[in-house]
Structures are given as C-alpha cells and as structure tokens.
Amino acid sequence: MPKIRPVAVALAGALCLVTSACADSTEKTAASGDKASAENAKAGYPVTLENCGVEEKFTKAPSRVVVMNGASVAEVSTLLALGVEDTVVANQQTYGMSEVQGRAEAIKKLPTGDVKLNDAYDIPREAMIGLRPDLVLSTTSYGFDEKNGFATREQLGDVGANSYVSPQGCDQDTSKMTVADSYTLLRDVGRIFGKSDQAEKLITASEKKIADVAAKVKGEKQPKVMVLFSNMAMGGNDFSSVVAKGIYNDILAKAGGSNAFENASKTSFADLSKEKVAATAVDALVVIGYNDPNPAAYAQKLLKEFPQWPAAKNKKYVALSDSMYLGPSNDLAVEKIAEMLHPDKV
C-alpha cells in the first residue's frame, strides 16, 4: 500500500502537467475534423446513389476498395482512368492486355489482397470481410449472392463497407448493355470518389471521338462482323463464345458494322456449331483477347478454317481486348473497328 501512493501522486502530477496539452490536442483534433468535413463537403459529399434497389451513401471518398473478378476489367479500368488506383487493396480483374498503353501493366501492379479464391475465382465472404473494405465493386449482382459464398451487400454494410453493381448488372443480364452504360459507370465512380469533373471530361472526349468516327462511316454499307472471345469455351459447341447481343453490337453499329450472329441467341452469347458458323457469310472478325497472349493468331487460324468467308478472302480482322467491354475505352474499339471495316473513310 505505501508503494501505491507515490505512484498515484506521480500520475496525478503528470495528469496536471498534460491537461493543457490534452486540451490543445482535443482542439486540434476538432479543427482537423472540421477541416476534413469542409473538404468533403467541397468535394460534393455526402453522395447518395440508388444502385440495384439499394441506397448507398458516401460521406467521403473510399480508401480501401476491393474489385471483384466478374470476368471484367470495367471497374478496375475506370478506377485507373480516374486516377484513384491507390485506393485499391485487392483487385481480381485482369485481361492481361489492353488497348490503352500501360494499363495492363498498371493493373498487374495492383495488390490482390493475397486472398485464396473460391471455385468462382473470386473472393469468398470471410476473406472479403477480412480485407476491411469500405467499397466493394462487382460487375453484376452475382458477386454479392450469398448462395455463391460471397458477402451480401447487407453484410458488407454491417462492417461499414459500401457496395456497387455496375450498370445492367442488377439482374445479371448484360444483353441490353450499351456504350452509354460505360459512361454511367464513369459518372457513378466519379461521384463516389469526388472526381466528377474528371469523369465528365473523359465522357465528353469519348463521345466526340465516337461521333467523329460515326459521321465518317454514315451511309456506308455495314459489313457483317463475327465477334468472339479467343480460345474460350462457354458451352458445348465448337463456338460457344460468340457474341450475340450487348455493348459489342452498339460498338459495331457506331463503327459502321453489324453483328452477323445477332439473332443467334436471346442472351449475350450464342453457342454455335461449326456448321452454323460455316454457313454464315462473315465479312470481318473481331477477336477479343481475355488473358490470351495472342488473339491475332486465333483470328488467323479461323480465317484459314473458313476460307469461304469474305473475311478470309479480304483478310479482315482485328484483335481487341478491354475496349470492347464495359469500361472507359469504348471509343478505341469504335475507332479500330471502323478503320478495319472502312479504311478509306476513317
């Protein structure tokens, strides 16, 4: 007991000495908080988005972002385009290539979170919660489906994380997707991160570039184009990754072309036999590389396999990747396809 008293006195004395310092610290903290609030307000916060029936409110820019796979690069490319890639703590999206110089390398450098993925090659619930995200991006609502072993939007909200499903992804049906949805994604992410001005500049530049190309090819005959992913199987037939509907068709139309297999399926992709493909007059090929190091070689192989195609006789093909999908670079796809289809006009 005698030993405790001196310690208590010493502590009391120390507390007396730091009282003014504590007061100063409290005032500084309050001032810092006021400054942060003012900066957030200046940046347009709070921001509220209605997203797939869920209201998401952002009081500041996210700083721990997780990007789910979704067989997409739309979301991670949008973050890069807006210059907020330093907020990413785990990214599962990659195509391995890009029409934008340096993008594939920039994506490769992003952290993956060192997460053990599930059978869907994405982040399971426990691992997601362990990443302590404040924003999770998913291409479709599939990434928040509890049946698939993922954290739900409600569960993420319980741990303080916002969530976002990209345009046309609410019901997992991307067959109605257009280039306008890429702009919506840019706009929404721009608002979320306080980068609306930058997002609008990107959108304006893209719209102008596409409008210029569309004006040059207006009135020209629209060649029939086959769009498919290289070396990818999605069904039981020889050609199960052939595009039927979606943003691809909007890009083709703006480039002065049309989809040779638009009526082959009511969904985004058609699962076709070799006979069906052989019987269709294909004027040109657009081959999309998804983690395929040489989609051009695949295109050349197809042209040899179907020498009766006008595309084979005229050697008309282009190999693309992320610009053909939802994301900030659709203008590049429009330009490159138009150059292939109408070289004398673009």
Side-chain angles (χ1 to χ4, degrees):
M1 202 65 186
K3 290 182 179 179
I4 296 176
R5 184 172 177 78
V7 173
V9 172
L11 284 173
L15 285 171
C16 289
L17 288 172
V18 301
T19 299
S20 59
C22 288
D24 290 343
S25 176
T26 301
E27 290 175 2
K28 288 178 181 178
T29 301
S32 177
D34 290 343
K35 184 179 179 182
S37 297
E39 289 177 351
N40 287 334
K42 187 178 179 181
Y45 296 101
V47 167
T48 302
L49 293 178
E50 185 75 22
N51 182 241
C52 297
V54 178
E55 188 175 275
E56 296 285 344
K57 186 175 181 179
F58 299 83
T59 57
K60 61 180 180 178
S63 61
R64 294 188 61 82
V65 182
V66 174
V67 186
M68 300 191 75
N69 185 343
S72 171
V73 286
E75 293 73 28
V76 71
S77 296
T78 299
L79 294 174
L80 284 165
L82 293 173
V84 295
E85 64 271 18
D86 59 335
T87 65
V88 176
V89 295
N91 170 58
Q92 297 303 324
Q93 294 185 347
T94 175
Y95 270 13
M97 61 187 294
S98 173
E99 275 72 76
V100 178
Q101 188 174 4
R103 178 179 288 167
E105 293 76 17
I107 291 175
K108 191 175 181 180
K109 289 178 181 177
L110 292 174
T112 62
D114 295 323
V115 172
K116 183 179 180 181
L117 304 180
N118 58 17
D119 292 340
Y121 299 100
D122 223 327
I123 304 173
R125 182 189 305 106
E126 294 77 12
M128 177 65 77
I129 301 302
L131 288 167
R132 297 181 294 108
D134 57 9
L135 172 63
V136 180
L137 301 174
S138 180
T139 304
T140 70
S141 56
Y142 176 88
F144 300 121
D145 192 332
E146 195 168 23
K147 295 193 298 289
N148 301 323
F150 300 126
T152 66
R153 300 186 75 173
E154 184 179 8
Q155 288 166 346
L156 289 168
D158 289 341
V159 295
N162 287 107
S163 52
Y164 179 84
V165 177
S166 289
Q168 301 297 335
C170 298
D171 57 3
Q172 302 181 41
D173 178 12
T174 59
S175 63
K176 296 181 178 65
M177 189 180 287
T178 67
V179 172
D181 291 309
S182 291
Y183 298 150
T184 298
L185 176 60
L186 259 174
R187 238 177 226 115
D188 285 351
V189 176
R191 288 186 65 202
I192 289 170
F193 284 90
K195 298 278 186 178
S196 289
D197 289 347
Q198 190 169 341
E200 292 304 325
K201 286 179 182 177
L202 290 170
I203 292 167
T204 299
S206 175
E207 287 178 329
K208 184 181 184 306
K209 195 171 183 179
I210 289 175
D212 289 346
V213 171
K216 291 176 182 177
V217 301
K218 186 177 180 181
E220 296 295 310
K221 182 181 177 182
Q222 294 188 333
K224 297 289 185 181
V225 184
M226 180 182 189
V227 183
L228 76 166
F229 284 79
S230 61
N231 294 306
M232 181 181 287
M234 296 184 187
N237 283 301
D238 294 326
F239 294 90
S240 56
S241 64
V242 177
V243 168
K245 292 177 172 58
I247 193 170
Y248 319 94
N249 291 1
D250 191 23
I251 290 171
L252 287 178
K254 288 173 167 57
S258 61
N259 190 338
F261 297 96
E262 183 175 0
N263 297 321
S265 174
K266 293 181 180 179
T267 60
S268 295
F269 293 94
D271 188 5
L272 306 176
S273 66
K274 185 176 180 179
E275 291 72 24
K276 170 69 175 175
V277 171
T280 304
V282 174
D283 296 317
L285 277 180
V286 174
V287 174
I288 305 172
Y290 176 76
N291 287 318
D292 182 352
N294 198 350
Y298 179 78
Q300 292 163 6
K301 186 184 82 170
L302 280 183
L303 295 180
K304 289 180 180 178
E305 190 175 355
F306 301 100
Q308 74 277 15
W309 283 349
K313 296 172 183 176
N314 299 315
K315 296 181 180 179
K316 287 272 186 180
Y317 77 90
V318 64
L320 298 172
S321 59
D322 57 345
S323 64
M324 278 297 286
Y325 198 68
L326 180 74
S329 308
N330 297 150
D331 57 305
L332 297 181
V334 171
E335 183 178 55
K336 289 180 180 295
I337 294 171
E339 287 172 348
M340 172 189 64
L341 298 179
H342 307 284
D344 56 332
K345 296 293 180 180
V346 180

